Amino acid sequence: MSHEVNVSQQIARLDTLQGPKILIIGGSGCGFGICSPMLETHYGMHISNTGTHAGLGLRLQVKLFRKYIEEGDVVLVIPEYAQFTKQYLGDETALRILTSTCREGYKQFSVLQQLYLFAFVPSAFEDARKAADGSYLDMNSPYVKKALNIYGDVERYESRQHKEAGWEPQHVEGDIWSSPFRMLKDLKEYCTSKGAQLYIYPPAYRDKAYDLNREKIDEIWRRLEQSGLPIVSQPDEYMTPDSLCYDTDYHLTYEGVIWRTKKLMNDLDALGL
């Protein structure tokens, strides 16, 4: 699927990029929610949108791309809210992505992550079998590889019209973990040592899901603030009207992508970027 292939695509691209860049780290809400050409034109910097399936887990999303952070870079980390629960370590999607396109990523596993993901091996193999068939994907879908542009954005906007029914807002399940906050603090220190800037952004999140998960979102943001991390905006400022969402609580229509990208730019401009 497009947002899963993006891991290996952006690694290959980052191996060749020269000069300061804006590095975006997050889930598929980044791949389905940001217009990188707008950012590149506005800031005159290379853009790498590494947004991929949230099932990869925030730990691997950071670990796989951390080594590409260099002096003068701006790093935007935009975690989806489930990334602060056990999904921080990923699920069967992590095994599928690493096995199919990014096997070097296995080197980044902690012992805890190895033990945790072992339980997902059977479902990962089943998902891989279905993916190998390929017949379940419409080739005009935004979920095919050709929907990705070079920056890591998922395009095919004509196939991403708002769906009025058939998808309910999802609960963020599970307890909030401490590990994501510790890792982000470590990333902040690493960015400082490299002469790069780190900013934590809230994700663009469907209003119906926001209302459903408001208490947990408030707790996550309170703990981020207590951690002393450089937070750019409050979560409710990225609460997204249902009409701008496509097929999940994080995936946006074309109009939603433009709306969200402009908000990102306004926030970065206010920081003096």
Side-chain angles (χ1 to χ4, degrees):
M1 299 175 77
S2 57
H3 52 312
E4 297 178 12
V5 174
N6 194 37
V7 174
S8 57
Q9 176 174 301
Q10 289 309 304
I11 285 175
R13 185 161 182 266
L14 287 163
D15 278 333
T16 63
L17 282 184
Q18 300 292 323
K21 60 186 175 291
I22 296 177
L23 177 63
I24 301 167
I25 298 175
S28 62
C30 293
F32 279 81
I34 293 174
C35 181
S36 293
M38 285 178 62
L39 295 176
E40 184 176 69
T41 298
H42 189 72
Y43 294 109
M45 300 172 70
H46 298 299
I47 312 295
S48 175
N49 181 359
T50 70
T52 189
H53 196 299
L56 182 63
L58 181 61
R59 184 180 184 277
L60 284 176
Q61 288 172 355
V62 170
K63 290 288 186 180
L64 287 170
F65 295 103
R66 170 179 166 136
K67 69 179 182 180
Y68 296 102
I69 297 171
E70 299 175 332
E71 184 176 359
D73 288 352
V74 176
V75 182
L76 311 181
V77 180
I78 312 176
E80 296 175 3
Y81 294 118
Q83 301 281 33
F84 292 95
T85 69
K86 62 184 179 180
Q87 198 182 70
Y88 165 72
L89 294 178
D91 56 26
E92 65 271 9
T93 306
L95 299 176
R96 188 172 68 244
I97 291 174
L98 298 187
T99 299
S100 61
T101 64
C102 187
R103 294 194 177 185
E104 65 268 26
Y106 281 114
K107 298 176 183 177
Q108 301 294 341
F109 275 10
S110 65
V111 173
L112 174 62
Q113 193 165 29
Q114 291 180 46
L115 294 172
Y116 177 77
L117 291 179
F118 183 76
F120 291 98
V121 170
S123 53
F125 273 106
E126 177 61 17
D127 284 353
R129 184 191 64 78
K130 292 178 180 178
D133 176 11
S135 59
Y136 70 97
L137 274 181
D138 176 358
M139 295 313 292
N140 292 317
S141 163
Y143 288 97
V144 298
K145 181 179 179 180
K146 290 184 178 179
L148 278 174
N149 64 20
I150 63 169
Y151 306 101
D153 308 337
V154 178
E155 296 185 323
R156 294 281 172 89
Y157 296 119
E158 69 280 1
S159 300
R160 286 165 56 185
Q161 302 300 313
H162 171 67
K163 295 182 179 180
E164 294 291 342
W167 53 297
E168 296 301 320
Q170 299 296 304
H171 277 283
V172 177
E173 303 288 351
D175 296 332
I176 298 171
W177 284 25
S178 297
S179 300
F181 303 97
R182 289 196 299 267
M183 184 192 65
L184 290 174
K185 287 178 68 176
D186 179 69
L187 180 64
K188 175 189 174 184
E189 293 173 3
Y190 181 79
C191 287
T192 299
S193 72
K194 301 293 287 187
Q197 302 174 67
L198 170 71
Y199 300 111
I200 310 295
Y201 269 91
Y205 195 46
R206 185 185 181 201
D207 50 11
K208 293 180 179 180
Y210 192 101
D211 290 339
L212 189 66
N213 295 287
R214 186 181 295 270
E215 184 175 339
K216 186 160 286 185
I217 292 169
D218 288 346
E219 173 66 10
I220 290 169
W221 228 249
R222 182 183 66 79
R223 291 179 65 171
L224 283 170
E225 290 173 340
Q226 289 177 343
S227 298
L229 288 159
I231 296 169
V232 173
S233 185
Q234 292 301 307
D236 59 354
E237 295 177 26
Y238 281 82
M239 185 167 58
T240 308
D242 179 73
S243 61
L244 297 181
C245 297
Y246 165 47
D247 64 344
T248 79
D249 296 326
Y250 293 101
H251 293 182
L252 307 184
T253 63
Y254 173 75
E255 293 78 11
V257 169
I258 301 305
W259 169 83
R260 193 268 193 91
T261 304
K262 287 180 177 178
K263 287 185 68 67
L264 286 173
M265 290 164 55
N266 287 339
D267 282 339
L268 287 171
D269 287 349
L271 294 168
L273 187 63

